[in-house]
Amino acid sequence: MVFPRLDELTNNVKTLQPKPDSVNQAVYDLLIKTAVDKIINDVVAFTNVPAEELPKEVDTPMLLKLSGWFTDAGVFMSADDRHKGAVTGITEGDTQITYGSPQNALSTLGSVSFIDSDFKVILMRYRRIRGWTYE
């Protein structure tokens, strides 16, 4: 993938989602890289526009989607904050509470769809018909 603003997008995600002390640097970098790659691939697949030709106008929506996912999933919350929120599952009976974590987020990232109805409205402006020649 040759996305021209990959470093800028990655650095912006890292700025909005700083690494907590409790998360290993390698895990943090891997999660950020994987999430950025996934959203770019999702946008490319939806729009049929090669990564190197994606317009700058989709960068901000991609950044907001990524930041929102990290926050909603509670991926980089501190241990104290994680116990205050980011509950991802509760089972009744033998009580079980599941909290978000970087390891859980990485394993579920493959099933996450960043292309929701709001994002589709933006991406439809740039969508191409597969098989046509654009010059």
Side-chain angles (χ1 to χ4, degrees):
M1 171 176 54
V2 184
F3 183 66
R5 297 168 306 279
L6 180 63
D7 291 339
E8 179 183 352
L9 181 59
T10 302
N11 289 335
N12 288 341
V13 172
K14 286 182 175 182
T15 300
L16 291 175
Q17 298 294 327
K19 183 187 99 47
D21 296 335
S22 60
V23 176
N24 178 296
Q25 183 68 44
V27 171
Y28 175 77
D29 290 338
L30 178 63
L31 242 168
I32 296 285
K33 180 188 181 318
T34 304
V36 169
D37 286 349
K38 179 166 180 3
I39 199 167
I40 291 170
N41 288 330
D42 287 357
V43 169
V44 166
F46 182 81
T47 61
N48 299 312
V49 175
E52 60 271 6
E53 295 178 25
L54 284 174
K56 189 165 179 57
E57 289 79 11
V58 299
D59 291 5
T60 300
M62 285 194 300
L63 175 65
L64 295 174
K65 286 289 174 195
L66 285 169
S67 182
W69 177 75
F70 280 116
T71 301
D72 293 346
V75 178
F76 296 130
M77 293 181 114
S78 68
D80 291 338
D81 288 341
R82 186 167 286 121
H83 294 294
K84 293 177 189 170
V87 175
T88 60
I90 298 177
T91 305
E92 247 181 85
D94 291 338
T95 304
Q96 176 184 353
I97 300 175
T98 308
Y99 295 97
S101 73
Q103 290 75 16
N104 291 345
L106 190 56
S107 67
T108 61
L109 187 56
S111 63
V112 171
S113 176
F114 289 114
I115 311 296
D116 61 9
S117 59
D118 293 336
F119 200 19
K120 281 182 182 178
V121 170
I122 295 167
L123 295 178
M124 288 299 287
R125 296 178 188 149
Y126 307 104
R127 195 169 194 191
R128 295 181 181 176
I129 298 173
R130 198 173 334 164
W132 284 30
T133 302
Y134 293 87
E135 296 179 26

